[in-house]
Amino acid sequence: MKIVIDDKIPFIKGVLEPYAEVVYKAGARTTAEDVADADAIITRTRTICNENLLKGSSVKAIATATIGFDHIDTAWCEANGTAWSNAPGCNSWSVKQYISAALAFLAEKHGLNLEGMALGVVGVGNVGSKVAEVGKALGMRVILNDPPRARKEGSAGFSDLDRIISECDIVTVHVPLQKEGEDATWHLFNEEMIGRMRPDQILINSSRGPVVDNKALKSALQRHLLKGAVLDVWEGEPDLDPELVSLLDLATPHIAGYSADGKANGTSMSIRYISQQLGLPLTEWSATGLPAPVQPLVFELDADGKSTQKTLSEAIFHSYDISKDCDALRNDLGAFEKLRGDYIVRREPSAFTVRLRNGSDDLARRLGMIGFKVEQI
């Protein structure tokens, strides 16, 4: 039995070796020759799993350790008997952390009082629903847009994109990439949609690059038709437009979901799926031994004399200083893939305990909504 694995997937080396020949390859360099005699592939977004890669191979199953799966030609796989799976929700808490840090950064940079401001969440699945919790924890008025869910569950609680564009101060996008159909998201934010936004609005995209027309966004920022924007995902990545990068509030190398916890979840889900498909005894396996970050996992936070927003921001930045990821990319755009492959150890708020001094019960509750464990002292 042979399994080909993307060599940047963490916590996986040595796990499958007792049961199969394991070949580790750079995702973007995995070829048809590599997988011709393979029984399974465990991958990330850089391996395009389509007919060109798979035709004539012995691949029975593909697992991607990511939420997104537009790199897998699912129709071809299903027509040719190749089972496949993604890892829905694996890094949703990580993206929640990323958006928390982005909102705190934007508030600090632009002098925003987030309390009472409107946050539009476009796409309310595993990720978007957690991002909505962040908005509420920060005191924001949260407006949700998710047409598939609205059709299935009823329109109560959901709004159309027109309302998002007209009312929200910050719009954050969390949809899958879908090129066709009623819920197509390719260039969902195109020239016309971005053109309808106001000069006091901010757009955040951490879903898939082509959901936002990057040329249209650059033009809008150049003409000051938006207050700002944050991109973690890009059209044409890893080749970025330097002008666009220079115009953004935050530019990061597709790492919103790259917490150690999120990666461990994705790896665990992939191992379990491949084990089910190939009859291996690892159907309940979970990654262990997650590394500790450089900052303390238990830290004291004194709220005396500080606003709620300031205190929450201090906690968020302790767990994740998003500006460092932005600075690293701006300093070397050509290092996009290296920054992803050799990403820092980032632990999610759930790994941290806040020892809160002089804080109210409401503040402790909000810290808990963001994901922290809280001890009031």
Side-chain angles (χ1 to χ4, degrees):
M1 189 178 295
K2 177 180 175 181
I3 302 173
V4 176
I5 301 176
D6 185 309
D7 64 1
K8 294 300 183 182
I9 294 177
F11 312 113
I12 201 169
K13 289 185 178 176
V15 176
L16 288 161
E17 277 79 348
Y19 313 101
E21 174 193 354
V22 180
V23 175
Y24 296 96
K25 289 279 293 191
R29 297 178 183 172
T30 301
T31 66
E33 183 179 356
D34 295 323
V35 305
D37 59 345
D39 295 278
I41 299 171
I42 301 179
T43 187
R44 300 183 306 150
T45 57
R46 290 298 184 253
T47 306
I48 308 302
C49 298
N50 56 15
E51 181 178 4
N52 292 337
L53 182 74
L54 301 168
K55 187 176 181 179
S57 75
S58 56
V59 174
K60 302 177 183 67
I62 300 168
T64 181
T66 59
I67 293 176
F69 56 89
D70 51 280
H71 54 292
I72 300 175
D73 187 337
T74 58
W76 190 92
C77 287
E78 289 162 10
N80 288 273
T82 303
W84 67 274
S85 177
N86 63 327
C90 67
N91 61 3
S92 56
W93 285 93
S94 179
V95 180
K96 175 180 178 178
Q97 179 187 36
Y98 178 93
I99 298 299
S100 300
L103 291 171
F105 178 92
L106 291 167
E108 191 173 277
K109 177 179 178 181
H110 293 290
L112 305 176
N113 180 8
L114 297 175
E115 190 85 31
M117 293 182 72
L119 177 69
V121 181
V122 180
V124 196
N126 284 311
V127 175
S129 58
K130 290 182 177 64
V131 169
E133 292 173 1
V134 167
K136 292 173 183 175
L138 293 171
M140 303 182 77
R141 182 166 59 93
V142 179
I143 301 176
L144 307 178
N145 169 260
D146 194 312
R149 282 191 61 186
R151 288 196 301 272
K152 183 178 180 180
E153 303 168 24
S155 59
F158 297 102
S159 300
D160 59 26
L161 206 50
D162 289 339
R163 185 183 174 205
I164 296 283
I165 294 300
S166 64
E167 290 190 26
C168 293
D169 303 286
I170 301 174
V171 178
T172 181
V173 189
H174 304 282
V175 297
L177 182 62
Q178 197 164 319
K179 293 187 177 181
E180 300 175 348
E182 185 177 9
D183 299 310
T185 58
W186 182 277
H187 283 191
L188 178 64
F189 281 81
N190 55 18
E191 184 177 9
E192 186 272 335
M193 186 67 72
I194 293 172
R196 290 166 52 197
M197 296 182 73
R198 304 186 310 270
D200 63 344
Q201 290 177 299
I202 297 172
L203 179 63
I204 303 173
N205 185 23
S206 59
S207 59
R208 304 299 283 170
V211 170
V212 173
D213 182 336
N214 284 196
K215 289 182 179 178
L217 177 61
K218 181 172 79 169
S219 176
L221 292 170
Q222 287 172 328
R223 293 181 291 155
H224 305 288
L225 301 180
L226 289 175
K227 180 187 285 288
V230 174
L231 291 184
D232 179 59
V233 290
W234 311 76
E235 289 195 278
E237 63 180 61
D239 299 318
L240 308 188
D241 179 344
E243 284 187 271
L244 175 57
V245 171
S246 70
L247 293 164
L248 297 168
D249 291 298
L250 288 167
T252 53
H254 200 155
I255 45 73
Y258 265 37
S259 69
D261 310 74
K263 290 180 179 182
N265 290 337
T267 299
S268 299
M269 293 169 77
S270 297
I271 290 284
R272 292 174 201 154
Y273 180 76
I274 292 301
S275 296
Q276 289 169 357
Q277 295 299 313
L278 301 184
L280 303 179
L282 298 170
T283 55
E284 296 183 4
W285 182 86
S286 292
T288 57
L290 275 65
V294 294
Q295 67 271 49
L297 289 174
V298 179
F299 65 102
E300 189 169 310
L301 190 60
D302 192 343
D304 187 37
K306 300 172 186 173
S307 68
T308 296
Q309 179 171 300
K310 176 65 175 175
T311 309
L312 292 173
S313 294
E314 283 188 18
I316 289 167
F317 289 143
H318 177 88
S319 74
Y320 175 40
D321 184 352
I322 195 171
S323 65
K324 290 184 178 179
D325 279 338
C326 180
D327 291 344
L329 181 61
R330 289 193 199 276
N331 289 337
D332 187 357
L333 297 187
F336 189 98
E337 293 287 41
K338 186 176 189 303
L339 292 170
R340 298 183 81 225
D342 302 325
Y343 191 56
I344 58 170
V345 173
R346 168 155 65 96
R347 296 300 305 273
E348 295 169 6
S350 60
F352 292 87
T353 298
V354 179
R355 304 189 73 234
L356 180 61
R357 187 181 298 279
N358 299 311
S360 66
D361 289 344
D362 179 64
L363 178 57
R365 179 185 63 83
R366 294 193 191 202
L367 285 164
M369 289 175 68
I370 292 170
F372 294 102
K373 294 188 282 287
V374 183
E375 296 177 358
Q376 289 182 269
I377 58 175

PDB file of all heavy atoms in Angstrom, residues 14-34:
ATOM      1  N   GLY A  14       5.409   9.608  10.367  1.00  0.00           N
ATOM      2  CA  GLY A  14       5.541   8.442  11.217  1.00  0.00           C
ATOM      3  C   GLY A  14       4.228   7.764  11.568  1.00  0.00           C
ATOM      4  O   GLY A  14       4.225   6.631  12.043  1.00  0.00           O
ATOM      5  N   VAL A  15       3.105   8.443  11.303  1.00  0.00           N
ATOM      6  CA  VAL A  15       1.809   7.887  11.704  1.00  0.00           C
ATOM      7  C   VAL A  15       1.388   6.733  10.802  1.00  0.00           C
ATOM      8  O   VAL A  15       0.937   5.679  11.275  1.00  0.00           O
ATOM      9  CB  VAL A  15       0.727   8.989  11.691  1.00  0.00           C
ATOM     10  CG1 VAL A  15      -0.643   8.400  12.013  1.00  0.00           C
ATOM     11  CG2 VAL A  15       1.079  10.090  12.686  1.00  0.00           C
ATOM     12  N   LEU A  16       1.551   6.883   9.511  1.00  0.00           N
ATOM     13  CA  LEU A  16       1.074   5.873   8.563  1.00  0.00           C
ATOM     14  C   LEU A  16       2.159   4.889   8.132  1.00  0.00           C
ATOM     15  O   LEU A  16       1.866   3.877   7.487  1.00  0.00           O
ATOM     16  CB  LEU A  16       0.490   6.566   7.326  1.00  0.00           C
ATOM     17  CG  LEU A  16      -0.855   7.266   7.567  1.00  0.00           C
ATOM     18  CD1 LEU A  16      -1.141   8.288   6.482  1.00  0.00           C
ATOM     19  CD2 LEU A  16      -1.978   6.244   7.655  1.00  0.00           C
ATOM     20  N   GLU A  17       3.405   5.179   8.473  1.00  0.00           N
ATOM     21  CA  GLU A  17       4.514   4.325   8.044  1.00  0.00           C
ATOM     22  C   GLU A  17       4.400   2.852   8.469  1.00  0.00           C
ATOM     23  O   GLU A  17       4.841   1.969   7.710  1.00  0.00           O
ATOM     24  CB  GLU A  17       5.843   4.916   8.540  1.00  0.00           C
ATOM     25  CG  GLU A  17       6.419   6.007   7.658  1.00  0.00           C
ATOM     26  CD  GLU A  17       5.759   7.367   7.858  1.00  0.00           C
ATOM     27  OE1 GLU A  17       4.708   7.429   8.522  1.00  0.00           O
ATOM     28  OE2 GLU A  17       6.278   8.367   7.353  1.00  0.00           O
ATOM     29  N   PRO A  18       3.793   2.552   9.632  1.00  0.00           N
ATOM     30  CA  PRO A  18       3.668   1.123   9.976  1.00  0.00           C
ATOM     31  C   PRO A  18       2.731   0.340   9.058  1.00  0.00           C
ATOM     32  O   PRO A  18       2.768  -0.896   9.059  1.00  0.00           O
ATOM     33  CB  PRO A  18       3.107   1.167  11.411  1.00  0.00           C
ATOM     34  CG  PRO A  18       3.502   2.501  11.940  1.00  0.00           C
ATOM     35  CD  PRO A  18       3.417   3.414  10.761  1.00  0.00           C
ATOM     36  N   TYR A  19       1.922   1.053   8.276  1.00  0.00           N
ATOM     37  CA  TYR A  19       0.892   0.376   7.490  1.00  0.00           C
ATOM     38  C   TYR A  19       1.054   0.532   5.980  1.00  0.00           C
ATOM     39  O   TYR A  19       0.382  -0.146   5.214  1.00  0.00           O
ATOM     40  CB  TYR A  19      -0.494   0.919   7.887  1.00  0.00           C
ATOM     41  CG  TYR A  19      -0.684   0.977   9.378  1.00  0.00           C
ATOM     42  CD1 TYR A  19      -0.562   2.183  10.063  1.00  0.00           C
ATOM     43  CD2 TYR A  19      -0.955  -0.179  10.101  1.00  0.00           C
ATOM     44  CE1 TYR A  19      -0.723   2.240  11.446  1.00  0.00           C
ATOM     45  CE2 TYR A  19      -1.127  -0.127  11.492  1.00  0.00           C
ATOM     46  CZ  TYR A  19      -0.998   1.086  12.152  1.00  0.00           C
ATOM     47  OH  TYR A  19      -1.148   1.136  13.503  1.00  0.00           O
ATOM     48  N   ALA A  20       1.922   1.442   5.554  1.00  0.00           N
ATOM     49  CA  ALA A  20       2.018   1.712   4.118  1.00  0.00           C
ATOM     50  C   ALA A  20       3.373   2.316   3.777  1.00  0.00           C
ATOM     51  O   ALA A  20       4.081   2.840   4.641  1.00  0.00           O
ATOM     52  CB  ALA A  20       0.902   2.682   3.702  1.00  0.00           C
ATOM     53  N   GLU A  21       3.716   2.232   2.496  1.00  0.00           N
ATOM     54  CA  GLU A  21       4.848   3.014   1.977  1.00  0.00           C
ATOM     55  C   GLU A  21       4.363   4.450   1.881  1.00  0.00           C
ATOM     56  O   GLU A  21       3.346   4.730   1.254  1.00  0.00           O
ATOM     57  CB  GLU A  21       5.259   2.508   0.596  1.00  0.00           C
ATOM     58  CG  GLU A  21       6.342   3.359  -0.060  1.00  0.00           C
ATOM     59  CD  GLU A  21       6.541   3.061  -1.532  1.00  0.00           C
ATOM     60  OE1 GLU A  21       5.905   2.102  -2.038  1.00  0.00           O
ATOM     61  OE2 GLU A  21       7.299   3.803  -2.183  1.00  0.00           O
ATOM     62  N   VAL A  22       5.076   5.359   2.507  1.00  0.00           N
ATOM     63  CA  VAL A  22       4.652   6.758   2.535  1.00  0.00           C
ATOM     64  C   VAL A  22       5.679   7.610   1.791  1.00  0.00           C
ATOM     65  O   VAL A  22       6.882   7.518   2.052  1.00  0.00           O
ATOM     66  CB  VAL A  22       4.489   7.266   3.983  1.00  0.00           C
ATOM     67  CG1 VAL A  22       4.054   8.731   3.971  1.00  0.00           C
ATOM     68  CG2 VAL A  22       3.473   6.410   4.729  1.00  0.00           C
ATOM     69  N   VAL A  23       5.173   8.416   0.863  1.00  0.00           N
ATOM     70  CA  VAL A  23       6.026   9.314   0.089  1.00  0.00           C
ATOM     71  C   VAL A  23       5.592  10.750   0.379  1.00  0.00           C
ATOM     72  O   VAL A  23       4.421  11.100   0.202  1.00  0.00           O
ATOM     73  CB  VAL A  23       5.915   9.028  -1.421  1.00  0.00           C
ATOM     74  CG1 VAL A  23       6.729  10.053  -2.212  1.00  0.00           C
ATOM     75  CG2 VAL A  23       6.364   7.613  -1.726  1.00  0.00           C
ATOM     76  N   TYR A  24       6.537  11.576   0.836  1.00  0.00           N
ATOM     77  CA  TYR A  24       6.246  12.976   1.103  1.00  0.00           C
ATOM     78  C   TYR A  24       6.750  13.818  -0.062  1.00  0.00           C
ATOM     79  O   TYR A  24       7.915  13.725  -0.454  1.00  0.00           O
ATOM     80  CB  TYR A  24       6.916  13.426   2.401  1.00  0.00           C
ATOM     81  CG  TYR A  24       6.392  12.701   3.624  1.00  0.00           C
ATOM     82  CD1 TYR A  24       7.056  11.577   4.136  1.00  0.00           C
ATOM     83  CD2 TYR A  24       5.231  13.121   4.254  1.00  0.00           C
ATOM     84  CE1 TYR A  24       6.574  10.900   5.245  1.00  0.00           C
ATOM     85  CE2 TYR A  24       4.739  12.456   5.369  1.00  0.00           C
ATOM     86  CZ  TYR A  24       5.410  11.352   5.859  1.00  0.00           C
ATOM     87  OH  TYR A  24       4.932  10.676   6.957  1.00  0.00           O
ATOM     88  N   LYS A  25       5.855  14.650  -0.602  1.00  0.00           N
ATOM     89  CA  LYS A  25       6.205  15.499  -1.743  1.00  0.00           C
ATOM     90  C   LYS A  25       5.670  16.908  -1.521  1.00  0.00           C
ATOM     91  O   LYS A  25       4.622  17.091  -0.899  1.00  0.00           O
ATOM     92  CB  LYS A  25       5.569  14.947  -3.029  1.00  0.00           C
ATOM     93  CG  LYS A  25       6.189  13.669  -3.541  1.00  0.00           C
ATOM     94  CD  LYS A  25       7.473  13.942  -4.324  1.00  0.00           C
ATOM     95  CE  LYS A  25       7.186  14.695  -5.611  1.00  0.00           C
ATOM     96  NZ  LYS A  25       8.350  14.761  -6.507  1.00  0.00           N
ATOM     97  N   ALA A  26       6.370  17.903  -2.061  1.00  0.00           N
ATOM     98  CA  ALA A  26       5.830  19.267  -2.051  1.00  0.00           C
ATOM     99  C   ALA A  26       4.518  19.264  -2.825  1.00  0.00           C
ATOM    100  O   ALA A  26       4.437  18.702  -3.927  1.00  0.00           O
ATOM    101  CB  ALA A  26       6.820  20.223  -2.689  1.00  0.00           C
ATOM    102  N   GLY A  27       3.497  19.860  -2.247  1.00  0.00           N
ATOM    103  CA  GLY A  27       2.169  19.791  -2.839  1.00  0.00           C
ATOM    104  C   GLY A  27       2.104  20.232  -4.284  1.00  0.00           C
ATOM    105  O   GLY A  27       1.517  19.553  -5.139  1.00  0.00           O
ATOM    106  N   ALA A  28       2.711  21.362  -4.604  1.00  0.00           N
ATOM    107  CA  ALA A  28       2.653  21.897  -5.958  1.00  0.00           C
ATOM    108  C   ALA A  28       3.486  21.086  -6.942  1.00  0.00           C
ATOM    109  O   ALA A  28       3.332  21.235  -8.152  1.00  0.00           O
ATOM    110  CB  ALA A  28       3.113  23.358  -5.963  1.00  0.00           C
ATOM    111  N   ARG A  29       4.364  20.227  -6.423  1.00  0.00           N
ATOM    112  CA  ARG A  29       5.252  19.448  -7.293  1.00  0.00           C
ATOM    113  C   ARG A  29       4.846  17.979  -7.391  1.00  0.00           C
ATOM    114  O   ARG A  29       5.579  17.176  -7.970  1.00  0.00           O
ATOM    115  CB  ARG A  29       6.689  19.561  -6.779  1.00  0.00           C
ATOM    116  CG  ARG A  29       7.229  20.995  -6.834  1.00  0.00           C
ATOM    117  CD  ARG A  29       8.625  21.085  -6.273  1.00  0.00           C
ATOM    118  NE  ARG A  29       9.105  22.459  -6.260  1.00  0.00           N
ATOM    119  CZ  ARG A  29      10.234  22.853  -5.690  1.00  0.00           C
ATOM    120  NH1 ARG A  29      11.003  21.960  -5.079  1.00  0.00           N
ATOM    121  NH2 ARG A  29      10.602  24.119  -5.725  1.00  0.00           N
ATOM    122  N   THR A  30       3.713  17.634  -6.839  1.00  0.00           N
ATOM    123  CA  THR A  30       3.234  16.265  -6.920  1.00  0.00           C
ATOM    124  C   THR A  30       2.734  15.990  -8.334  1.00  0.00           C
ATOM    125  O   THR A  30       1.892  16.721  -8.861  1.00  0.00           O
ATOM    126  CB  THR A  30       2.108  16.017  -5.897  1.00  0.00           C
ATOM    127  OG1 THR A  30       2.616  16.282  -4.580  1.00  0.00           O
ATOM    128  CG2 THR A  30       1.608  14.585  -5.965  1.00  0.00           C
ATOM    129  N   THR A  31       3.260  14.952  -8.957  1.00  0.00           N
ATOM    130  CA  THR A  31       2.971  14.672 -10.366  1.00  0.00           C
ATOM    131  C   THR A  31       2.166  13.382 -10.533  1.00  0.00           C
ATOM    132  O   THR A  31       2.026  12.582  -9.606  1.00  0.00           O
ATOM    133  CB  THR A  31       4.276  14.526 -11.164  1.00  0.00           C
ATOM    134  OG1 THR A  31       4.962  13.345 -10.693  1.00  0.00           O
ATOM    135  CG2 THR A  31       5.169  15.740 -10.970  1.00  0.00           C
ATOM    136  N   ALA A  32       1.688  13.195 -11.763  1.00  0.00           N
ATOM    137  CA  ALA A  32       0.962  11.968 -12.088  1.00  0.00           C
ATOM    138  C   ALA A  32       1.845  10.740 -11.870  1.00  0.00           C
ATOM    139  O   ALA A  32       1.366   9.680 -11.451  1.00  0.00           O
ATOM    140  CB  ALA A  32       0.460  12.028 -13.530  1.00  0.00           C
ATOM    141  N   GLU A  33       3.131  10.890 -12.147  1.00  0.00           N
ATOM    142  CA  GLU A  33       4.063   9.774 -11.933  1.00  0.00           C
ATOM    143  C   GLU A  33       4.151   9.417 -10.451  1.00  0.00           C
ATOM    144  O   GLU A  33       4.225   8.242 -10.089  1.00  0.00           O
ATOM    145  CB  GLU A  33       5.444  10.154 -12.461  1.00  0.00           C
ATOM    146  CG  GLU A  33       6.468   9.033 -12.362  1.00  0.00           C
ATOM    147  CD  GLU A  33       7.830   9.434 -12.921  1.00  0.00           C
ATOM    148  OE1 GLU A  33       7.948  10.560 -13.454  1.00  0.00           O
ATOM    149  OE2 GLU A  33       8.759   8.613 -12.819  1.00  0.00           O
ATOM    150  N   ASP A  34       4.114  10.432  -9.595  1.00  0.00           N
ATOM    151  CA  ASP A  34       4.194  10.194  -8.151  1.00  0.00           C
ATOM    152  C   ASP A  34       3.016   9.377  -7.639  1.00  0.00           C
ATOM    153  O   ASP A  34       3.168   8.556  -6.729  1.00  0.00           O
ATOM    154  CB  ASP A  34       4.238  11.526  -7.391  1.00  0.00           C
ATOM    155  CG  ASP A  34       5.486  12.332  -7.677  1.00  0.00           C
ATOM    156  OD1 ASP A  34       6.555  11.722  -7.823  1.00  0.00           O
ATOM    157  OD2 ASP A  34       5.378  13.571  -7.747  1.00  0.00           O
TER     158      ASP A  34
END
